[in-house]
């Protein structure tokens, strides 16, 4: 899904100046979102409207804001939280997510932690951090993570114990990493993974 959605975004850039192609690519982008939502069995009230998807497509947005609880389009990750008065209920706390297109260049990028965050196959978490852009938890608690796209970065990684491991990597040594704040104390909290 990630590849197809990003491909549609790129197609929109290429065909943006020609009317018929733009309409087709835009509709395909909207259809893909609905298909993704159906696969994930997302309720209708958690989906972005076609108008919002259309605006997003036309802007070719690498960054967008959605209400907390909305279905996150494939290809996007949560990189921050904010207050959005259009998102209904809020009580002086962040009620919206700031989304960014996940880079696949091998660059490191910070995401917000929590069950709504997303780690795609091929990405690994190499650090659990405090991220001031993410309003989860209180004080300086760990509320974010640093991710990287494994395949295009290096053949071997130290990843945090809460990171998914890509299909073409094998897990070896289990050890302690000061970058990974998983669990309590000085227990083993990281793995070394190696590309097959």
């Amino acid at each position: 899904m990630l590849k197809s959605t990003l491909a549609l975004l790129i197609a929109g850039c290429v065909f943006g100046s020609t009317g018929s192609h733009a309409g087709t690519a835009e509709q395909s982008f909207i259809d893909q979102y609905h298909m993704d939502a159906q696969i994930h069995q997302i309720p209708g009230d958690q989906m972005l409207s076609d108008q919002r998807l259309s605006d997003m497509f036309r802007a070719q947005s690498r960054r967008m804001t959605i209400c907390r609880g909305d279905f996150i389009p494939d290809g996007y990750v949560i990189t921050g939280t904010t207050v959005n008065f259009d998102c209904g209920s809020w009580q002086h706390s962040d009620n919206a997510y700031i989304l960014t297109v996940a880079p696949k260049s091998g660059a490191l990028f910070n995401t917000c932690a929590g069950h709504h965050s997303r780690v795609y196959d091929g990405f690994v978490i190499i650090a659990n951090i405090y991220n001031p852009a993410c309003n989860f938890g209180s004080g300086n608690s760990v509320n974010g993570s640093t991710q990287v796209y494994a395949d295009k970065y290096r053949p071997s990684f130290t990843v945090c114990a809460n990171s998914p491991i890509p299909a073409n990597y094998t897990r070896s040594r289990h050890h302690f990493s000061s970058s990974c704040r998983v669990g309590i104390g000085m227990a083993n909290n990281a793995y070394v993974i190696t590309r097959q």
Side-chain angles (χ1 to χ4, degrees), residues 33-34 38 43 47 66 71 73-74 89 97-98 101 107 114 116-117 130 132 136 142 149 174 177 186 193:
Y33 177 86
H34 285 285
Q38 199 170 24
M47 290 173 53
I66 66 169
F71 175 58
D74 279 338
S89 64
Y97 294 131
I98 298 167
V101 173
H116 283 116
S117 290
Y130 170 70
F136 294 120
V142 173
Y149 190 70
H174 190 184
S177 169
M186 300 293 283
I193 63 169

Side-chain angles (χ1 to χ4, degrees), residues 66-149:
I66 66 169
C67 297
R68 184 177 289 198
D70 285 344
F71 175 58
I72 301 167
D74 279 338
Y76 286 82
V77 290
I78 301 171
T79 55
T81 60
T82 188
V83 173
N84 184 338
F85 296 103
D86 294 328
C87 288
S89 64
W90 68 282
Q91 296 176 338
H92 305 290
S93 63
D94 293 11
N95 64 351
Y97 294 131
I98 298 167
L99 305 180
T100 307
V101 173
K104 297 188 78 170
S105 62
L108 303 177
F109 63 103
N110 291 340
T111 59
C112 296
H115 66 279
H116 283 116
S117 290
R118 188 173 274 179
V119 183
Y120 292 105
D121 184 46
F123 288 85
V124 291
I125 297 172
I126 62 169
N128 304 121
I129 58 171
Y130 170 70
N131 184 350
C134 305
N135 187 16
F136 294 120
S138 58
N140 288 334
S141 62
V142 173
N143 64 354
S145 59
T146 296
Q147 296 183 34
V148 64
Y149 190 70

Side-chain angles (χ1 to χ4, degrees), residues 7-17 25 57 59-60:
L8 288 169
L9 283 171
I10 292 166
C13 288
V14 173
F15 298 120
S17 58
F57 179 86
Q60 297 305 313

Side-chain angles (χ1 to χ4, degrees), residues 160-193:
C160 299
N162 63 334
S163 178
I165 298 171
N168 57 335
Y169 281 77
T170 54
R171 184 170 68 191
S172 57
R173 276 187 305 123
H174 190 184
H175 64 96
F176 173 77
S177 169
S178 58
S179 298
C180 299
R181 302 178 192 182
V182 183
I184 301 170
M186 300 293 283
N188 290 338
N189 62 359
Y191 296 104
V192 172
I193 63 169

